[in-house]
């Protein structure tokens, strides 16, 4: 069963985020607190949305998908960015990942989103094989850019003053 996440899912979501980070060899980078996730997923202005995959027989949480809307200046339309897709090892191959992706694809269609995009680590052959079996196009010509930590602070310190033409600040 695939369903929208609820507030009571936060401990499981946080645990699966850490499991995913460990699988991706970056556990120390998974620092989101339950409170941050509560605000991001269930606050007044959600930054992201989550789906939960449950085992039909036991109701046990088997995986999750976390996504947020994005916008393309080229198409002039919204799209979806999948931040996380995770299925617990014992449930892999049982259809949970495909069901999560199909539900997200249906959300895209329902909302008029033209694009559904995400990243996959270059070494994650099982995931790449799974995605390509679904018809996913791998965009090898693009590189992910990330600015964080001290370089982010240094660049931000060089920002000019922004003038609000409406005079609101």
């Amino acid at each position: 069963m695939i369903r929208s996440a609820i507030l009571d899912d936060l401990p499981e979501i946080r645990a699966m985020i850490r499991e995913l980070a460990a699988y991706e060899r970056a556990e120390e980078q998974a620092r989101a607190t339950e409170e941050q996730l509560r605000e991001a997923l269930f606050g007044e202005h959600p930054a992201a949305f989550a789906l939960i995959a449950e085992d039909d027989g036991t109701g046990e949480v088997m995986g999750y998908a976390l996504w947020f809307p994005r916008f393309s200046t080229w198409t002039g339309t919204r799209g979806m960015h999948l931040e996380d897709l995770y299925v617990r090892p014992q449930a892999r191959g049982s259809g949970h990942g495909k069901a999560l992706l199909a539900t997200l694809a249906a959300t895209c269609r329902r909302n008029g989103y033209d694009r559904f995009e995400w990243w996959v680590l270059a070494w994650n052959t099982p995931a790449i094989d799974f995605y390509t079996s679904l018809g996913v196009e791998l965009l090898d010509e693009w590189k992910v850019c990330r600015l964080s930590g001290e370089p982010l602070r240094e660049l931000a310190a060089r920002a000019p003053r922004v003038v609000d033409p409406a005079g609101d600040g």
Side-chain angles (χ1 to χ4, degrees), residues 1-2 16 28 30 40 48 80 92 98 113-114 120 133 155 166-167:
M1 177 176 76
I2 305 299
M16 288 186 289
E28 71 286 348
M80 176 183 287
R92 293 183 188 150
K98 191 177 289 186
Y113 296 171
D114 283 345
V120 61
S133 77
L155 185 58

Side-chain angles (χ1 to χ4, degrees), residues 69-148:
R70 56 185 302 164
F71 180 77
S72 169
T73 57
W74 289 16
T75 66
T77 60
R78 288 183 179 224
M80 176 183 287
H81 177 81
L82 176 61
E83 180 66 15
D84 289 348
L85 176 68
Y86 179 72
V87 175
R88 288 185 158 140
Q90 69 271 23
R92 293 183 188 150
S94 61
H96 296 294
K98 191 177 289 186
L100 285 164
L101 287 173
T103 302
L104 292 170
T107 300
C108 288
R109 299 278 299 160
R110 187 173 53 254
N111 292 328
Y113 296 171
D114 283 345
R115 292 182 177 169
F116 177 16
E117 298 176 325
W118 63 93
W119 303 334
V120 61
L121 290 167
W123 59 260
N124 194 347
T125 305
I128 291 168
D129 292 345
F130 170 61
Y131 298 147
T132 56
S133 77
L134 298 175
V136 167
E137 174 187 10
L138 298 176
L139 304 176
D140 293 330
E141 67 274 15
W142 292 89
K143 296 284 186 187
V144 176
C145 299
R146 177 176 293 156
L147 189 62
S148 61

Side-chain angles (χ1 to χ4, degrees), residues 17-28:
I17 289 170
R18 296 192 55 75
E19 291 168 28
L20 175 60
Y23 175 76
E24 293 183 350
R25 307 171 190 157
E27 192 170 8
E28 71 286 348

